[in-house]
Amino acid sequence: MSMWASLNRSVFKKTSTFFLAAALGTFFFERSFELASVAIFESLNKGKLWNDIKHKYEH
Amino acid sequence: MAAAVGRICGARLLKNYGIVTPQVCQLSTGAQGWTRNRKIWLSTLGVVSGGVGALLFALEQSVQASGSEAHPPHQPWSHDGWFKSLDHASVRRGYEVYKQVCKACHSLQYIAFRNLVNVTHTEEEAKAEAADVMIKDGPDEEGNFFERPGKLSDYLPSPYPNENAARAANNGAYPPDLSLIVSGRKGGEDYIFALLTGYMEAPAGVVLREGQNYNPYFPGGAISMAQVLFDEAAEYSDGTVATASQLAKDVSTFLRWCSEPELDERRLMTIKSMGMFTLMAVVAYYFKRHKWSTMKSRKLAYKPVSKK
């Protein structure tokens, strides 16, 4: 049995597990998407952001 | 508007098509031809809105060309671009320029000391900045107003108690609040930079009144603010050489931040929304293929009914 089919049977067929999968999937997707976007933003603006210069002013 | 839409669509929006028709409509590319009336209505609507748009554009352009002021040249700001954040070192220097020069005349009443935290200053530094100024507070138990050192939650104090006092001290001209000046002036920070660095001798024939100066970027040319930025007009704590143009650049960047403190956030949002819309476009493409697969692979067979 292919992975997809077994996943389908064990998780997606039942409402309770389906919604659990949706909630967990949302959580992990949001976390990784957010971290990836911030990483892109920070690398594009390296040296200009407060996080890049704050070490000069913190003691 | 509603009447026009009703006219064009007729009662069609309300009609009950049954179950099959809407589905067939979605799948078919050829629609029923438009009626003559509908065509006329739609083309009139198109021509009128196109014409109004062109007229507005032309009016706007002619106003731009008719003024006597010089248009500020565009500067290569490091925050220009879809994904570019503000240069926070420059914003910090700009705050120093505001504090040492502009603060003598201009208020910045929508910026509080707490806004500086983690943008240009650490919390300790921002507290020290606030404690440096005296804030009017009160009334106390006896009903008197009193002065106390500032706190993080205080807004930057204004140099004059009210507009009349400001005018009286500046030859009748009012130095506007700078909090939103970049959003409030055409050209934004390009204009501020050009204005601060653009002072010159008035050309022959231009008459200036007492206390006025000539600046080609200011509408009308006669501005009641004298040139304030010269080399070494302010001092930078990070050792940057304080030339006049450096001061102007930094204070313009700072004022852009004052007008749009959420700029960095918006740039990050651009990245996020582009990622999100890309993912959704992939899903939409797959979904379209999925729905059309039956249509594209179907075969129609006609079985003639024999007469016999």
Side-chain angles (χ1 to χ4, degrees), chain B residues 160-171:
Chain B
Y160 303 107
N162 52 55
E163 183 177 334
N164 289 359
R167 283 189 190 279
N170 288 286
N171 273 322

Side-chain angles (χ1 to χ4, degrees), chain B residues 245-265:
Chain B
S245 67
Q246 179 77 42
L247 296 168
K249 175 217 149 192
D250 289 335
V251 79
S252 305
T253 311
F254 171 68
L255 292 176
R256 174 76 190 259
W257 171 75
C258 293
S259 288
E260 292 176 40
E262 80 296 348
L263 189 88
D264 288 0
E265 196 64 25

Side-chain angles (χ1 to χ4, degrees), chain A residues 10-11 14 31-32 36-37 41 44 46 48-49 53 59:
Chain A
S10 57
V11 180
K14 224 163 101 188
R31 280 294 77 209
S32 46
S37 312
F41 178 74
L44 283 176
K46 192 141 206 63
K48 295 201 292 176
L49 299 167
I53 58 167
H59 312 290

Side-chain angles (χ1 to χ4, degrees), chain B residues 223-237:
Chain B
I223 183 169
S224 297
M225 172 169 95
Q227 180 170 1
V228 287
L229 294 185
F230 303 92
D231 292 351
E232 312 294 329
E235 230 174 88
Y236 284 138
S237 63

Side-chain angles (χ1 to χ4, degrees), chain B residues 36-304:
Chain B
R36 215 179 101 79
N37 255 345
R38 198 177 181 198
K39 273 186 198 159
I40 292 175
W41 268 104
L42 278 178
S43 34
T44 318
L45 197 73
V47 168
V48 168
S49 49
V52 169
L55 183 68
L56 287 178
F57 182 73
L59 286 175
E60 161 83 10
Q61 288 308 98
S62 67
V63 168
Q64 198 175 49
S66 69
S68 61
E69 72 271 16
H71 298 292
H74 184 63
Q75 307 293 341
W77 302 103
S78 84
H79 52 265
D80 249 4
W82 284 23
F83 313 125
K84 301 291 195 61
S85 75
L86 287 162
D87 179 353
H88 285 244
S90 178
V91 177
R92 184 182 167 106
R93 288 193 298 270
Y95 169 75
E96 293 172 352
V97 178
Y98 168 77
K99 189 177 143 189
Q100 294 170 37
V101 184
C102 322
K103 197 175 92 170
C105 305
H106 290 277
S107 58
L108 196 63
Q109 56 178 333
Y110 297 111
I111 300 294
F113 289 103
R114 63 184 159 78
N115 296 135
L116 303 176
V117 176
N118 289 350
V119 175
T120 57
H121 291 70
T122 63
E123 192 175 330
E124 265 60 58
E125 286 175 320
K127 277 183 181 156
E129 287 294 318
D132 263 358
V133 301
M134 293 307 273
I135 301 284
K136 195 172 174 196
D137 201 350
D140 61 11
E141 290 105 63
E142 276 119 53
N144 300 316
F145 287 87
F146 58 93
E147 300 229 313
R148 59 162 174 81
K151 296 184 289 203
L152 273 189
S153 55
D154 286 317
Y155 285 82
L156 267 61
S158 305
Y160 303 107
N162 52 55
E163 183 177 334
N164 289 359
R167 283 189 190 279
N170 288 286
N171 273 322
Y174 176 53
D177 185 79
L178 292 183
S179 313
L180 295 168
I181 200 83
V182 168
S183 301
R185 290 291 180 275
K186 193 154 194 241
E189 61 272 54
D190 285 328
Y191 169 70
I192 309 292
F193 182 89
L195 187 78
L196 293 172
T197 54
Y199 285 88
M200 54 170 68
E201 285 290 308
V206 173
V207 195
L208 295 176
R209 278 186 288 133
E210 164 92 27
Q212 285 190 324
N213 306 271
Y214 185 74
N215 191 317
Y217 296 102
F218 188 69
I223 183 169
S224 297
M225 172 169 95
Q227 180 170 1
V228 287
L229 294 185
F230 303 92
D231 292 351
E232 312 294 329
E235 230 174 88
Y236 284 138
S237 63
D238 66 0
T240 306
V241 182
T243 59
S245 67
Q246 179 77 42
L247 296 168
K249 175 217 149 192
D250 289 335
V251 79
S252 305
T253 311
F254 171 68
L255 292 176
R256 174 76 190 259
W257 171 75
C258 293
S259 288
E260 292 176 40
E262 80 296 348
L263 189 88
D264 288 0
E265 196 64 25
R266 265 187 7 235
R267 301 288 197 246
L268 175 59
M269 234 22 165
T270 309
I271 296 177
K272 282 191 194 169
S273 53
M274 285 179 79
M276 215 59 207
F277 280 119
T278 312
L279 287 177
M280 274 151 59
V282 172
V283 172
Y285 179 71
Y286 175 80
F287 192 69
K288 186 260 168 192
R289 300 273 303 214
H290 181 71
K291 284 285 162 191
W292 276 76
S293 59
T294 45
M295 294 300 292
K296 292 219 167 177
S297 55
R298 77 181 166 174
K299 285 188 178 132
L300 297 182
Y302 292 98
K303 194 172 161 197

